[in-house]
Amino acid sequence: MRTLTLAPDVVGGWLQLPGSAVAELVGSAGFGFVCVDQQHGLIGDDALLPALQALRATGTPAVVRVPLNEPSAIGRALDHGADGVIVPMVDDAEATAAAVAACHHPPRGVRSFGPTRLGWAPPAGPPRCVVMVESVAAVDAAPAIAAVEGLDAIFVGPTDLALSAGIAPSAQLDDPGYRRMLERVVAAARGRGLPVGIYCASPEHAQHYRRTGFTFFALMSDAAMLLAAAKANLAAASGRTDVV
Ligand code: 3PY
Ligand code: MG
């Protein structure tokens, strides 16, 4: 079982489809970690355990993107056996401190003690707390967010950030103002020695963001990969141009 590392250059996978076979398949691909997305993915609480068990069987570290910044959501993901959590929509230092506290038992934090699965299948290391910077307010607060004690990494949600800034999500590779926002987040994280990651809608996005200074990348979801491959293969087999 590998411990979760998010630097210097780690490419992760992203699960949005329920099912232990999907988790096992993606977990076996060689990613540095796999994220189980409970915010926008179709993976509810009952599907979380089989996904984490399948990932554990592959030896790939697992993080859970919880649906919201809330102690019971964070505690449940960790109690199910996640190596860490990715907490969405965190806009300031106060919300960051709350997410970090939710990951740890007293006296360090406020997490309730209930080691059900952890009693027989503990993760490889202490829980990691990753917060998502995905609004203009969060970019402005990035230095304060990065300074929160106990935070393990920052992760950018590029689409929500573009929407918050009034930029078309499709312009994220070209817009100079958008790039400057990302550079500010990278500088804030790296200035504190923190890993800084970003969701990538394609391998090209990962290559682009590597040059911006990000240290870890979550590469397009299982659903996005499957849909893209289904359309590309249909187009290639049929000669149709209306499916991609
Ligand atoms: C975003 O792009 O906003 C995300 O949260 C990626 O998953
Ligand atoms: Mg988002």
Side-chain angles (χ1 to χ4, degrees):
M1 190 162 51
R2 286 181 278 140
T3 50
L4 177 63
T5 49
L6 298 171
D9 189 339
V10 180
V11 179
W14 195 270
L15 293 178
Q16 291 193 313
L17 300 177
S20 57
V22 185
E24 189 180 43
L25 183 157
V26 175
S28 71
F31 288 113
F33 66 92
V34 171
C35 176
V36 182
D37 180 7
Q38 290 203 295
Q39 184 194 22
H40 293 303
L42 306 177
I43 302 171
D45 243 21
D46 287 348
L48 179 60
L49 179 60
L52 293 176
Q53 288 171 321
L55 290 173
R56 181 73 64 84
T58 69
T60 302
V63 294
V64 174
R65 177 161 75 172
V66 292
L68 76 176
N69 187 4
E70 201 276 320
S72 68
I74 292 171
R76 280 191 74 72
L78 296 173
D79 286 353
H80 276 65
D83 294 287
V85 289
I86 295 180
V87 182
M89 297 293 209
V90 172
D91 281 348
D92 55 30
E94 196 184 343
T96 303
V100 171
C103 289
H104 301 285
H105 299 118
R108 187 171 171 193
V110 297
R111 182 177 164 199
S112 172
F113 185 73
T116 309
R117 181 168 185 238
L118 305 192
W120 66 87
R128 306 298 176 80
C129 183
V130 181
V131 296
M132 290 192 72
V133 164
E134 46 186 349
S135 70
V136 173
V139 172
D140 290 340
I145 289 173
V148 170
E149 197 180 334
L151 181 68
D152 293 295
I154 287 177
F155 183 68
V156 172
T159 302
D160 276 317
L161 179 56
L163 293 173
S164 163
I167 295 165
S170 57
Q172 63 180 254
L173 297 190
D174 308 317
D175 189 281
Y178 188 82
R179 183 186 172 89
R180 278 194 292 280
M181 285 197 297
L182 296 183
E183 286 170 348
R184 286 167 61 202
V185 178
V186 167
R190 295 189 76 144
R192 291 276 172 178
L194 287 181
V196 56
I198 187 164
Y199 183 84
C200 299
S202 72
E204 292 70 34
H205 282 72
Q207 284 156 12
H208 176 86
Y209 289 133
R210 183 176 284 116
R211 291 192 289 274
T212 312
F214 285 91
T215 70
F216 72 100
F217 313 89
L219 182 59
M220 59 195 299
S221 70
D222 50 0
M225 284 192 199
L226 193 55
L227 186 61
K231 288 182 171 181
N233 284 306
L234 174 58
S238 64
R240 282 171 55 188
T241 54
D242 63 317
V243 286
V244 280

